[in-house]
Amino acid sequence: MAGALEPGRDGARPVFENIPEPESPAVVVTAPSMQGAPIPTPQQYLAYIFNADDWENFTVEWVRALGSHEGRPYLRVKRMGGAGDRGADVAAVLTPQGTGGEWHCYQCKHYSKPFTQADAWPEMVKIFTAKILGEYELPTRYVFVAPRIGQTLDRLLIHPEKLKREFFESWDKDGSKLGADLDSAVRDAVGALARRTDFSMFQAPDMDNILELHATTPHHLRRFPQPLKPRPAADPAPSEQAPSEAVYVRKLLNVYNEKHGLGLETLQQARAHEKVKPHLARQREAFFHAEALRLFARDSVPDATYEAIEEDLYEAVIEIEDDDHDDGYDRLKAVLTAAAAHKPNSYNILAPVVKVIDLKGMCHHLANNDRLTWCKEEPSP
């Protein structure tokens, strides 16, 4: 900032720079480091492999999880970034007023050395200056996010009064560079604001705690390739039809009615009919196995990872589904046979935990979404 800047005419207001949100997560793949070489720890990724953009995107992912974890989800988490961020790399807002209301500031510092008070003081000056100039309201929480916090600064951050005292020792000394580029009136106002501020707003969480919470998000495996956690067993199919089963069950009933000349209208009627009961039970078991895989993937990896498995299967069976068959039963049987023989792409981290029954069940999920259909008008012989 060179000299004084004009405060906003409307007072403190949200400032969201035109910085794109982090890109949608890509498919999680089996990383080369998992093929036999030692796997870097998350701490090593953070310190030595991440760049500044990775660090800010990682922080956004963690902050979103933090809001939900603390029981007061943020209305929006915005990566500000860039030269015009006015001391806020990531803004997490708690009211519709954005940074003009209650909000938390997360300042991302990805240095090769520990982050010290000499690094912190200028950042603190920036946020006080932004308030004086009407760019933001002062955040109620200001968090330094760095791979390593220097021991002296770490001790100061848990002793807010001492932190404040040492900040002003640097601010008040002759020839201080803190705020030296500000207009004298603005610098005086910044100093006055800082003196009446409770410095407990400044924090620096432990990196192990950050990683522990980030590990609960689907982004963790994409950021830090590690073996998947064990997949839990699938729940059995419920005795009553679940709302999510409506479409694929109706398509199965059409198959049974066409093949056996039945008039089945409900799942319960089909479950009571000896000709179709075993087949129906297997299809429902497969559907819920695939659903269990989907939920496991949802909680473990970004959505695109599971979607890639399902899309690959669709491409493997769609030509068979579209081919001519004697009836819907033969079409269904041919598709399920092809699905059972299909091998998911080995690069996908989910591939090792996908079972044959999951692949059959995914066919019913695709039928549920009207991408596959069994009973069609067959051509005349």
Side-chain angles (χ1 to χ4, degrees):
M1 185 180 307
L5 298 179
E6 290 296 323
R9 296 180 181 177
D10 300 324
R13 64 190 185 278
V15 175
F16 291 126
E17 299 288 343
N18 188 26
I19 301 297
E21 295 288 347
E23 292 182 3
S24 299
V27 174
V28 174
V29 301
T30 304
S33 60
M34 297 176 68
Q35 308 294 334
I39 302 172
T41 66
Q43 289 84 350
Q44 289 170 328
Y45 269 98
L46 293 176
Y48 305 115
I49 300 176
F50 274 27
N51 59 32
D53 279 343
D54 293 331
W55 184 251
E56 289 195 10
N57 289 337
F58 165 78
T59 300
V60 168
E61 293 157 5
W62 167 66
V63 170
R64 285 176 177 150
L66 182 65
S68 299
H69 179 73
E70 293 185 341
R72 191 181 180 190
Y74 293 123
L75 295 185
R76 188 180 182 193
V77 177
K78 173 69 177 175
R79 179 182 169 189
M80 310 285 273
D85 62 19
R86 300 288 191 265
D89 288 328
V90 176
V93 305
L94 292 134
T95 72
Q97 286 70 44
T99 54
E102 184 181 359
W103 69 291
H104 296 163
C105 175
Y106 293 85
Q107 194 65 14
C108 306
K109 294 300 175 185
H110 190 259
Y111 295 166
S112 58
K113 63 180 183 63
F115 185 75
T116 68
Q117 57 268 42
D119 303 311
W121 301 154
E123 301 303 324
M124 294 159 70
V125 171
K126 287 180 186 177
I127 202 68
F128 289 130
T129 303
K131 163 60 179 172
I132 293 300
L133 298 182
E135 299 290 345
Y136 310 132
E137 278 300 323
L138 204 62
T140 54
R141 180 188 294 177
Y142 184 105
V143 183
F144 295 111
V145 189
R148 290 182 294 164
I149 301 292
Q151 289 187 0
T152 301
L153 177 59
D154 208 22
R155 287 194 292 267
L156 289 174
L157 287 166
I158 61 173
H159 195 322
E161 286 303 314
K162 190 172 182 181
L163 176 72
K164 188 172 188 177
R165 187 163 59 249
E166 295 213 7
F167 170 82
F168 277 104
E169 285 179 6
S170 294
W171 177 263
D172 291 332
K173 72 180 180 181
D174 291 340
S176 173
K177 294 182 179 180
L178 293 178
D181 57 343
L182 298 175
D183 177 88
S184 60
V186 173
R187 190 178 192 277
D188 289 346
V190 166
L193 172 62
R195 290 184 194 281
R196 61 179 185 267
T197 296
D198 181 353
F199 270 45
S200 65
M201 67 181 275
F202 296 106
Q203 304 170 19
D206 182 81
M207 189 50 56
D208 287 342
N209 292 338
I210 291 177
L211 284 167
E212 182 179 359
L213 183 57
H214 190 270
T216 66
T217 74
H219 305 289
H220 197 72
L221 275 174
R222 178 172 60 91
R223 294 281 178 203
F224 314 107
Q226 301 285 320
L228 279 172
K229 61 188 177 182
R231 178 184 168 186
D235 291 330
S239 57
E240 298 295 327
Q241 180 175 310
S244 60
E245 295 186 88
V247 177
Y248 93 91
V249 165
R250 167 47 55 193
K251 290 181 178 181
L252 285 173
L253 296 181
N254 290 342
V255 166
Y256 302 144
N257 291 338
E258 181 184 61
K259 180 172 179 62
H260 300 295
L262 306 174
L264 301 173
E265 292 291 336
T266 67
L267 174 70
Q268 295 305 332
Q269 288 175 348
R271 291 184 70 208
H273 201 290
E274 290 303 318
K275 275 192 173 182
V276 302
K277 179 179 178 180
H279 187 273
L280 174 64
R282 292 195 300 273
Q283 308 321 304
R284 295 189 72 221
E285 181 185 11
F287 178 87
F288 283 100
H289 266 264
E291 178 65 5
L293 175 64
R294 186 188 70 80
L295 295 176
F296 170 73
R298 181 198 65 187
D299 296 337
S300 304
V301 294
D303 291 344
T305 310
Y306 174 82
E307 290 165 3
I309 293 279
E310 188 176 75
E311 191 64 26
D312 191 45
L313 173 67
Y314 174 78
E315 293 299 333
V317 302
I318 183 57
E319 299 304 330
I320 297 169
E321 186 261 12
D322 195 44
D323 204 357
D324 294 339
H325 296 272
D326 289 342
D327 55 28
Y329 186 88
D330 282 350
R331 177 175 287 105
L332 171 61
K333 182 179 177 181
V335 166
L336 294 181
T337 299
H342 174 69
K343 300 295 184 187
N345 287 331
S346 59
Y347 70 81
N348 191 303
I349 198 170
L350 289 174
V353 301
V354 177
K355 305 173 183 178
V356 168
I357 194 170
D358 299 320
L359 295 167
K360 292 180 177 180
M362 284 185 200
C363 292
H364 294 300
H365 279 247
L366 291 166
N368 228 23
N369 294 326
D370 282 327
R371 300 187 71 190
L372 296 177
T373 298
W374 318 127
C375 291
K376 301 184 180 183
E377 200 156 315
E378 305 295 346
S380 301

